[in-house]
Structure formats: C-alpha cells, structure tokens
Amino acid sequence: MQVSESIHTLKIPFKLRVGPDKTVDRFVFAYLIFGDQICLIDSGVAGSEAVILDYIKNAGRDPREISRIIFTHSHPDHIGAGPALKKQTGCKLAAHIDAKPWIENVDEQYAQRPVGNFYDLVGGPVDIDLGLKDGDRVDLGGGRTLEIFHTPGHSKGSISLLFDKDRALFTGDAVPKPKTVPIYENVAVSIESIKKLKQIKGLEILMASWDDPQLGAGVYPSMDAGLQWFQQIHEAVLTETAGSDAFDTDDLSARVLKRLGFPEIPLVPIVVTSIGAHLKLLDQQKLI
Ligand SMILES: [Zn+2]
C-alpha cells in the first residue's frame, strides 16, 4: 500500500506459536522508502523476502537498489528476512547499538527472550554494518534523511525514525496499539519514549508496526492512546495486587490478562515480563 509519494507499507502475516499445539495469527508491517535508492525499514519474519522483492519488482524497481535495511529493533518479526535480503541484494544493515547484540547473536536473544517458534521466524544471525544512536541522521541519497530517535522500553535497542520530507514517523513497537497484548521490558521507559516522540512537531504520518498508518489529525491522538493503554494495564495490575504483598507473577499475569479482556492468551514469558514490569511501580497510581 502506498502511503505517500515515497513510502509504501507491506503488511506481513505470520503465526506465533504460544503452546505445543497452539498458534496465534499475527502480522507486522515493513516499510519501503523509494528514492534514488530504496530503504527498507524492518524486514518481517524469515521468508518475507519473497513478498518484499516482488513488491519492489512490481513497482518497476530493481531489488539491488535496496541500499539499506534499518531495523527498528531486534525482535524476530522485524529482523527475520534480514539475512536473506542482505545476501540477495548486497544491502547494508543498520540498527541501534543496543539492538546489535541480539541481531548478531540470535541464540543469545532466544536464551534471554524465548519465543515459541523463534527459529522459524528468524532467518539466522546477521552482522549489522552501521550501529545507530539517538540523534543520528541516515542519508538516503537525494538530500533525504532519516533522523534516529532512541525509544527504548519495548526493548532496550528500539528506535523510531523520522522521514523529514513527509514528516513521517516510523515507531516500530514503541507505541502500543490499545487493546493489544502487553509486550515490553520497561513500562516507565516506554512512557518516556512516547512522551519524547510527542515533542516532535508537525508530524503528518505515524507508522507503528502493529497498526495501520495514522494520518494527519490521527497522529498525536494515537500516541496518547498508547499512553492511555499503559495506564489501563497499570490500573489492572494495581487492582489485582491490592491488599497483597507477595505475588506469583504467573498467577498475577493471568488475572491481569483476564481483567484486560484476554482470557484466552497463554502465559508466554514475554507477556509475564511485561506485567512484571509494573510491579516496581505499585506505589504510583498514575504512570502517564
Ligand atoms: Zn518487538
């Protein structure tokens, strides 16, 4: 789908295994910025290279024109097709310096953040050519740049990217869509990251990996809605922990998920981590 003259979105479906016989249908967006060169933001899961390369060819461009893939962070649904695309197109890969270790050593990522069918989703480890940090500008050629904003919380190496030409912001998983399952490492840091993004003036387009692009007047309210969702999750944790000092994190997470309207979601470690992130903040009623 074309969002602006330069930006195209690709919605990539995949299945996440959450139990021995249970998968859930998920999707993730990847983005193409067409210019003198082609820049890809995130790559989808392993195998997504086919749909990405087909899209480029159907647009009348040559896949070898991909100069760079920039990963918003290290998780499988964002990096999976990276190794295949690098091999097939010769493009360079970029990610935040804090995301590099889990992209270059996926075994380490799996050990620290197990996901059901991790090795089906990740196409293997791959070297990052350019390590990014907050404030960097990535040159896309033709006078176009992407400005990097370090927006940790969902993961420590998460970035958002501002394509100034279109006042378009790519936020990866930094801004949650309300009513989606909580997945983050540090909720307080996530909130600070969204507040930082809200300071960017004049945004026209916001693209989050789990949501359709927000345009015009919808941009800033979608960031506020993400903040409100964090607060709602926090209030569910406060309610479920009221009057008790000792919690079994699994049991608490199950009760919080039920209260939030996800009674069917199995207790996978990445969700338990997210709920657990609120336990350090039980003395605070308001997080936002
Ligand atoms: Zn993620």
Side-chain angles (χ1 to χ4, degrees):
M1 173 187 146
Q2 189 162 3
V3 177
S4 73
E5 184 198 344
S6 311
I7 300 170
H8 297 246
T9 65
L10 286 169
K11 192 174 185 176
I12 297 170
F14 66 98
K15 288 189 185 297
L16 183 66
R17 196 163 75 230
V18 293
D21 303 311
K22 189 171 167 63
T23 60
V24 293
D25 288 321
R26 298 290 297 262
F27 66 85
V28 67
F29 279 99
Y31 307 95
L32 289 157
I33 304 177
F34 286 118
D36 294 347
Q37 311 157 6
I38 300 170
C39 177
L40 180 62
I41 296 176
D42 287 340
S43 70
V45 298
S48 305
E49 60 274 13
V51 63
I52 292 169
L53 296 179
D54 280 351
Y55 191 94
I56 291 171
K57 287 178 206 160
N58 288 337
R61 304 288 297 255
D62 185 332
R64 287 171 300 184
E65 292 177 78
I66 302 180
S67 59
R68 201 182 286 288
I69 304 174
I70 305 176
F71 298 121
T72 59
H73 61 294
S74 59
H75 293 162
D77 46 332
H78 301 262
I79 67 165
L85 286 166
K86 184 173 189 179
K87 197 172 170 187
Q88 291 181 38
T89 70
C91 65
K92 302 285 187 200
L93 304 184
H96 190 269
I97 49 174
D98 292 342
K100 253 172 74 101
W102 276 10
I103 299 172
E104 296 183 338
N105 184 345
V106 293
D107 292 337
E108 187 183 322
Q109 176 174 174
Y110 181 69
Q112 294 181 20
R113 186 180 185 271
V115 173
N117 47 341
F118 181 85
Y119 287 99
D120 294 336
L121 303 176
V122 170
V126 66
D127 287 340
I128 294 297
D129 304 291
L130 177 65
L132 300 169
K133 53 189 189 321
D134 191 66
D136 282 353
R137 281 179 187 274
V138 179
D139 183 8
L140 301 185
R144 298 170 176 196
T145 59
L146 279 168
E147 185 177 353
I148 306 302
F149 292 80
H150 187 207
T151 47
H154 173 76
S155 74
K156 62 182 180 177
S158 288
I159 54 169
S160 299
L161 306 95
L162 176 64
F163 183 53
D164 196 35
K165 177 183 165 289
D166 290 347
R167 297 305 290 165
L169 187 68
F170 303 88
T171 57
D173 290 347
V175 181
K177 182 177 180 180
K179 306 294 177 194
T180 56
V181 175
I183 299 178
Y184 38 83
E185 294 174 353
N186 188 320
V187 64
V189 171
S190 278
I191 287 168
E192 287 311 307
S193 289
I194 297 176
K195 288 182 174 174
K196 176 171 151 177
L197 294 177
K198 281 181 64 180
Q199 300 300 315
I200 304 171
K201 304 291 180 213
L203 291 174
E204 295 290 337
I205 307 170
L206 186 140
M207 286 160 287
S209 300
W210 293 4
D211 203 358
D212 291 326
Q214 302 292 325
L215 305 175
V219 169
Y220 293 95
S222 76
M223 290 195 256
D224 286 330
L227 289 173
Q228 292 289 348
W229 181 230
F230 283 132
Q231 177 65 27
Q232 221 174 313
I233 297 166
H234 189 61
E235 286 171 11
V237 176
L238 289 177
T239 303
E240 292 296 341
T241 54
S244 174
D245 289 331
F247 321 107
D248 174 80
T249 321
D250 281 359
D251 174 58
L252 171 67
S253 299
R255 285 186 282 119
V256 169
L257 285 179
K258 196 172 171 196
R259 180 167 286 278
L260 291 170
F262 307 110
E264 79 293 355
I265 296 291
L267 277 183
V268 290
I270 54 175
V271 174
V272 176
T273 298
S274 310
I275 303 300
H278 290 260
L279 295 179
K280 282 177 275 179
L281 305 167
L282 294 180
D283 56 339
Q284 296 181 40
Q285 295 293 315
K286 287 267 174 223
L287 293 190
I288 62 175

